[in-house]
Amino acid sequence: MINITITDIIAVLGVLFGLSGLTLAIITYRRDNPKIVVDLQWDMSMIEVGGGPSDRNKLHGVITVTNIGRRPIYISHVSLKLSPKGYLLLIEGLSGQKLVEGDPPRTFTVDHDRIIQEIGDRLRKQPNMWKLIRAQVSDSAGKRYLSKKVKNCPEWAKIKK
């Protein structure tokens, strides 16, 4: 015959509540960390809303930085990562900006002509170099966030013969 005492019941309840408290603490800790999503898109045209001037022939890249975490984060700089050791720093991304939960995403533009000026020689030698390019955002704590690799070849990377 099995004797279950009140002490046994309280011990089992203590284990259950202790494990559920630990699980809840881990979930809260993970949820409260800052999380940055970086997106890189090429071949974007800029137009003026309201019928103003537009230059549809000039294409740009757009880097979008969004804080989807619960804690505020301070962006120290934004750059394009060309290779493991090569970077192009964006001047407009140097000012440093604070992103708080619920803030609208920050966007940074990259002119296609400037990309060709900066890496044109390397692109002729290595035509698939565009596949390595990713947007990188660094925060004030030194953590780096990368965009996903672009799958479609941008206009500026197409070799003109």
Side-chain angles (χ1 to χ4, degrees):
M1 183 156 140
I2 300 174
N3 285 339
I4 298 176
T5 63
I6 192 110
T7 307
D8 296 334
I9 294 172
I10 291 174
V12 169
L13 287 175
V15 168
L16 291 175
F17 285 129
L19 286 176
S20 63
L22 176 66
T23 305
L24 187 62
I26 290 171
I27 290 171
T28 302
Y29 172 76
R30 290 195 46 121
R31 183 191 67 192
D32 286 346
N33 282 337
K35 294 180 191 108
I36 298 293
V37 175
V38 182
D39 188 37
L40 173 62
Q41 296 176 320
W42 295 112
D43 300 337
M44 306 290 278
S45 295
M46 285 192 184
I47 60 169
E48 185 75 30
V49 178
S54 65
D55 187 2
R56 293 179 188 256
N57 296 330
K58 194 168 189 175
L59 297 174
H60 299 269
V62 176
I63 299 171
T64 307
V65 182
T66 309
N67 183 1
I68 61 169
R70 303 281 310 258
R71 294 194 185 228
I73 194 162
Y74 190 80
I75 298 170
S76 64
H77 60 279
V78 179
S79 61
L80 287 174
K81 183 176 180 182
L82 304 177
S83 63
K85 294 183 181 178
Y87 296 90
L88 283 177
L89 191 62
L90 294 158
I91 298 295
E92 64 180 3
L94 269 178
S95 60
Q97 298 176 359
K98 185 176 183 179
L99 276 177
V100 182
E101 176 188 18
D103 275 356
R106 302 286 193 263
T107 57
F108 304 91
T109 58
V110 181
D111 190 358
H112 278 207
D113 296 337
R114 293 290 297 162
I115 291 288
I116 293 169
Q117 280 180 346
E118 295 295 328
I119 65 168
D121 293 335
R122 285 190 267 176
L123 190 62
R124 283 184 205 82
K125 293 175 189 169
Q126 188 182 4
N128 288 331
M129 179 184 172
W130 66 270
K131 291 180 181 179
L132 301 174
I133 296 177
R134 298 168 78 179
Q136 177 179 304
V137 174
S138 299
D139 66 9
S140 59
K143 190 167 180 186
R144 296 182 181 123
Y145 303 90
L146 290 170
S147 67
K148 293 180 181 175
K149 291 183 179 178
V150 178
K151 294 185 178 164
N152 298 327
C153 181
E155 262 320 297
W156 59 264
K158 294 178 180 170
I159 306 288
K160 304 207 176 26
K161 295 179 181 178

